[in-house]
């Protein structure tokens, strides 16, 4: 199994192909559209993270000492971001997750888009992921 | 307004106007900015920006009690803006013009001070179903405090106010009506003059939320006969941090002060404090001097143009955009009132509003998405939000073309899904 | 601070600093401006003015809910200032920093919201006899509304707070204390840390009016342990129209909102409105975006200098002026506390304060005259007002010399009488 | 007796000698110091006009169809202004006073100093003078 750092690097490598924000946007929409929908039974208020303009449902689980995440959103872009986060975080060891700096968000130039902090719940999502991992 | 009598702006005129707005010269991701977020805030002409620089470089000083040159110059410039505002909205006297922080503060001031003076348990306040949160929450807070009841005039599917309902809602307990002139999420222009006359027949005063209309209509408070009016400088080409509360003298004189502090008093002692005359009684503490002065420049700028023609042109932009947007697959326009101002709210089937807003952003097009601080409107239409394009006279037909082509692409992108 | 460890500013440093302040380059009636009205408002360095121009020319936009480039850039810049303020005053978290219109609004916010939550009939609020009207009237208004009692800690003939009286005044009905850090009319520096500790032993929270101290002391809210602090940007080289309310998280979370409107809510419906988290809950409506950002630049500017040395130099200016002013015939200094900051209030026998202020104006010297929004202080000293010279680190010893010579002439002018 | 317009012109002529604000200030102080004090019995609240930084007491009287003004202030500068006003207005016919435009205030360059409207009660003083004349 790849380490968290390795998956981060893969994403960074992927993104070097994109020259501008439009290309990145299209790619994120693409992977957002590919992310499987979350089972409706998890789309409940307890698992919901409220952003200002979109909702995210995050389901966390643990198996054999590793943490797994599934998630969904009404925004395809946010789903794309989730897909990236899941790629990096899901299936990793609790320690890795808790300590993840997630530098890739900066490196691939998404920080600016994520910085509309209150427009999407990404920061809260990362917090929830870490909280779950810390409790596991 | 009819096409026969009013000439629209020519392309040359528009491009001369655009040259005065430095932000419009920006490129976003290498693409020319298309700024369609004017209902959120307007861009500023050079003259406004320059008047800030001039103030801070040449005569920055605190006002009113200063006997030195800079202070006198600043006080004069500040007080002249009161006269400019008076003239702009055709108020009777400049002492009916109170400077505030913005529309929101103006409405809070009235809700609190009017509430204290006139509202008691069981009284009623009327607003409409299309109000901005800034014209809902202050009244909710006041009504809760005073155990009064907030009543709401409903709207129809086109986003029009059911004015007949006002008559049914008005009663002897009604203390005040507060209603928006132009809806910021639907573009609806409300028949405020008629509503005011209707309320006055019952001797109920009316506050007009003119946040959107101040830049897009020629306002005459005398003709409207409104009791209060609230608007913000930043939506009419002026700086952020300044707004106006217009109130008829009889009301200003009847209202208790809102905030206490320097400048709003005539004498302070621990036993007894007496308040200054209007409008100063409502301007506690150091005012936003520089921005008030620059706000004056934005009024000068607007007055220097032929506003009738500007507004006619803005209507043309709206009509053109409304027509062309129908070419976009899956389009749904929210707000189809017969009287509309330059605001176009819509959704695209299968596309989340924020996702589409972000796509437009990749194309250098700035629109706003979300509930636009009018959640009750969104609840009424059972939607989480809209995409909103809002126009000002510096926008162009070719910007609308760019916008429509981008929307078509976005529609395809999310149609795949 | 001791002369052994801190080097004062050199003449070269001062003249470099002065070059950054365009107003200081002005001539008034052909004479170089001597600006000694810093307690009313400070002049602005080029960087602050430039950041306004940059905002309005490059990324003017409304903040928070916008998904487009300009809005994100503006939102980021705005929110970064919260962190700058936090760092400047050593607050624990940036969510303890609320942007307001100024000191006056910050105090009104606390008086109203704290009053609603915690003050009932018969409760007591303590202020001091040297407060600015902005720290008197809001409490008077609130106490009147809630039938609470305003109690006042007296001062002595030197203009010092009788701190022993605080102990006697504090009792189980005391709900809050609000006290000025540095008096704007006397220059007295109050021992606020001690007062706060004293109040906390009784579990009474304390608001510090830091309007004057924010530019003239190094403030550490953590070390002071104050519950609330209020100050204005315009007195610390930033623009007008912005201020800060610092409040400990536990208080901000306990206070009901002050104004209602856009941005301060999390959900609005006519049945139930829920409020946003802190600090946004207290920032209703479009904020003063440009000025908040420029305020951030004024903090950067102050941080870029060695503040210890600046403050040391300001004390030297005060000492020098206090010494030299004794040469003026008929001088009477108002405010002779042992701990003083760069404010020199005085009268000249036979001369009306305004007349002398105007004479100084003819010489290009800007001072303030009158009651300085502290009428109770004037009543205490049985005078209608004072002439006040207030210094900032860009002032010079030779400006003080010019000032003293002018005062001597004024004294002669009115001695004739 | 000179007309109001004539006295205004005299003052304007006087002021042409002064080149700058300092000279004007000194002159106004001088005539302020020369203006006789108002009898204490008139220094009562009813006759007081409150400025922000100085008080003015204004006593109006009528004799043989002409209006006379006496006044005092705690500020010598304001007394100087008063002296100018009295020179122009006192002893004139009610009509002249009511219709006086007092253009001299602008012409001699005092407008700027008077424009600190709220710092002295000059505007209110003119108003009171006119009111009295109108009622006479
Ligand atoms: C001690 C003190 N408190 C409060 C204020 C009020 O500040 P602002 O007018 O900026 O609201 C001032 C400024 O005049 C002051 O000096
Ligand atoms: C209709 C309406 N009312 C009130 C407001 C609030 O204005 P401000 O945020 O400038 O206080 C706005 C602006 O968003 C608006 O569009």
């Amino acid at each position: 199994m790849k380490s968290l750092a390795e998956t981060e690097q893969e994403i960074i490598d992927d993104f070097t192909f994109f020259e501008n924000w439009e290309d990145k946007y299209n790619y994120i929409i693409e992977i957002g559209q590919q992310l499987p929908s979350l089972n409706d039974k998890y789309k409940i208020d307890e698992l919901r993270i409220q952003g200002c303009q979109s909702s995210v449902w995050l389901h966390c689980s643990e198996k054999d000492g590793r943490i797994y995440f599934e998630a969904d959103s009404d925004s395809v872009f946010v789903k794309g971001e989730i897909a990236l986060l899941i790629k990096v975080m899901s299936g990793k060891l609790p320690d890795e997750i808790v300590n993840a700096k997630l530098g890739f968000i900066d490196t691939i130039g998404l920080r600016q888009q994520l910085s509309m902090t209150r427009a999407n719940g990404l920061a809260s999502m990362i917090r929830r992921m870490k909280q779950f991992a810390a409790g596991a | 307004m009819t096409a026969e009598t009013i000439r629209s702006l020519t392309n040359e005129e528009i491009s001369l106007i655009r040259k005065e707005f430095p932000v419009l010269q920006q490129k976003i991701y290498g693409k020319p900015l298309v700024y369609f977020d004017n209902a959120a805030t307007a861009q500023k002409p050079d003259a406004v920006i320059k008047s800030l620089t001039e103030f801070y470089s040449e005569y920055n000083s605190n006002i009113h009690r200063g006997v030195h040159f800079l202070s006198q110059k600043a006080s004069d410039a500040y007080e002249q803006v009161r006269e400019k505002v008076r003239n702009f909205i055709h108020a009777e006297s400049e002492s009916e013009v109170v400077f505030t922080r913005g529309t929101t503060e103006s409405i809070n001031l009235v809700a609190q001070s009017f509430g204290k003076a006139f509202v008691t348990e069981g009284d009623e306040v009327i607003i409409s179903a299309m109000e901005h949160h800034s014209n809902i929450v202050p009244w909710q807070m006041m009504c809760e405090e005073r155990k009064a009841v907030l009543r709401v005039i409903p709207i129809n599917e086109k986003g029009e106010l059911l004015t007949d309902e006002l008559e049914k809602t008005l009663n002897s307990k009604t203390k005040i009506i507060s209603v928006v002139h132009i809806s910021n999420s639907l573009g609806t222009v409300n028949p405020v003059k008629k509503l005011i006359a209707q309320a006055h027949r019952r001797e109920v005063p009316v506050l007009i939320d003119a946040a959107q209309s101040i830049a897009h209509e020629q306002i005459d408070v005398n003709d409207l006969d409104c009791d209060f009016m609230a608007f913000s400088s930043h939506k009419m080409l002026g700086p952020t941090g300044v707004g106006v509360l217009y109130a008829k003298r009889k009301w200003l004189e009847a209202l208790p002060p809102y905030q206490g502090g320097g400048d709003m008093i005539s004498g302070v002692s621990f036993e007894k404090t007496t308040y200054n005359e209007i409008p100063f009684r409502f301007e506690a503490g150091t005012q936003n001097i520089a921005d008030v002065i620059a706000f004056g420049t934005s009024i000068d700028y607007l007055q220097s143009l032929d506003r009738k023609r500007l507004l006619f042109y803005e209507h043309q932009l709206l009509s053109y955009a409304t027509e062309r947007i129908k070419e976009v697959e899956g389009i749904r326009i929210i707000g189809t009132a017969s009287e509309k101002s330059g605001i176009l709210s819509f959704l695209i089937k299968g596309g989340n509003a924020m996702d589409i807003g972000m796509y437009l952003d990749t194309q250098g097009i700035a629109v706003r998405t979300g509930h636009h601080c009018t959640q009750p409107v969104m609840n009424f239409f059972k939607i989480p939000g809209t995409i909103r394009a809002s126009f000002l006279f510096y926008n162009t037909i070719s910007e609308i073309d760019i916008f429509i082509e981008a929307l078509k692409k976005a529609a395809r992108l999310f149609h795949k899904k």
Side-chain angles (χ1 to χ4, degrees), chain B residues 138-378:
Chain B
W139 302 108
Q140 285 182 323
M141 288 167 65
M142 185 273 270
C143 285
E144 196 184 302
E145 253 174 272
R146 320 219 139 251
K147 302 198 174 62
V149 181
L150 189 62
R151 304 204 51 187
V152 183
I153 313 289
I155 55 176
N156 66 19
E157 284 292 330
K158 294 169 78 180
E160 293 167 329
L161 205 60
L162 299 180
T163 48
D164 290 350
E165 293 291 321
L166 177 60
E167 205 51 50
K168 296 184 207 153
T169 314
L170 270 167
N171 67 55
S172 62
K173 287 186 251 154
T174 312
K175 282 295 147 71
I176 189 167
I177 299 175
S178 190
V179 66
V180 71
H181 193 174
I182 296 181
S183 155
N184 67 306
S185 53
L186 300 168
T188 312
V189 183
N190 283 319
V192 286
K193 190 171 172 180
K194 217 184 85 189
L195 296 176
I196 292 164
Q198 210 174 334
H200 283 180
R201 279 195 292 279
R202 302 279 209 140
E203 284 175 15
V204 174
V206 181
L207 185 155
I208 299 298
D209 172 355
Q212 292 299 332
S213 55
I214 193 72
H216 300 283
E217 297 272 333
Q218 288 186 288
I219 299 282
D220 184 332
V221 291
N222 216 22
D223 176 57
L224 288 177
D225 199 27
C226 58
D227 299 274
F228 303 95
M229 180 173 277
F231 54 92
S232 302
S233 145
H234 72 95
K235 304 214 197 240
M236 52 185 288
L237 319 186
T240 53
V242 180
V244 166
L245 171 64
Y246 157 81
K248 281 186 185 163
R249 171 181 293 274
K250 67 168 178 187
W251 290 115
L252 269 194
E253 278 175 348
L255 294 191
Y258 176 56
Q259 296 187 334
D263 236 33
M264 58 71 76
I265 54 91
S266 97
V268 171
S269 74
F270 295 122
E271 296 73 37
K272 187 168 171 47
T273 288
T274 51
Y275 300 122
N276 202 338
E277 57 199 25
I278 65 164
F280 310 107
R281 185 193 302 164
F282 297 97
E283 294 179 5
T286 300
Q287 292 302 298
N288 189 350
I289 306 165
D291 288 328
V292 165
I293 293 171
F295 171 41
T297 309
S298 80
I299 295 177
D300 294 342
Y301 178 82
L302 283 170
Q303 302 270 48
S304 75
L305 302 169
D306 183 341
R307 293 199 73 214
K308 275 217 183 65
R309 294 181 59 212
L310 298 184
L311 305 185
F312 180 73
Y313 172 64
E314 286 180 3
H315 274 94
Q316 288 186 316
L317 289 174
L318 176 67
S319 306
Y320 183 75
T322 307
E323 241 350 88
R324 283 223 56 197
I325 207 167
K326 291 175 188 158
E327 298 169 19
V328 180
E329 207 174 338
I331 203 81
R332 175 181 169 200
I333 297 179
I334 311 292
T336 49
S338 61
E339 289 291 323
K340 272 191 74 174
S341 180
I343 284 170
L344 186 56
S345 253
F346 60 93
L347 286 170
I348 294 181
K349 207 171 164 198
N352 170 287
M354 184 177 90
D355 290 348
I356 295 190
M358 288 180 81
Y359 178 74
L360 293 175
D361 177 50
T362 68
Q363 307 302 305
I365 302 166
V367 296
R368 195 139 292 233
T369 62
H371 55 59
H372 316 297
C373 293
T374 57
Q375 284 188 350
V377 171
M378 302 303 135

Side-chain angles (χ1 to χ4, degrees), chain B residues 71-103:
Chain B
S71 179
Q72 286 172 41
K73 190 164 168 187
S75 303
D76 277 2
Y78 178 87
E79 287 302 329
Q80 272 164 25
V81 181
R82 228 186 277 283
E83 165 55 22
K84 289 181 190 181
V85 172
R86 188 208 60 70
N87 175 57
F88 190 70
I89 62 172
H90 302 97
E92 263 180 28
S93 154
E94 63 209 54
S95 57
E96 296 175 325
V97 174
V98 177
F99 291 120
T100 64
R101 198 151 55 79
T103 309

Side-chain angles (χ1 to χ4, degrees), chain B residues 8-21:
Chain B
S8 185
L9 296 184
T10 64
N11 286 341
E12 291 73 46
E13 285 173 312
I14 299 162
S15 75
L16 279 177
I17 286 174
R18 288 180 66 85
K19 284 214 180 74
E20 304 201 52
F21 290 81

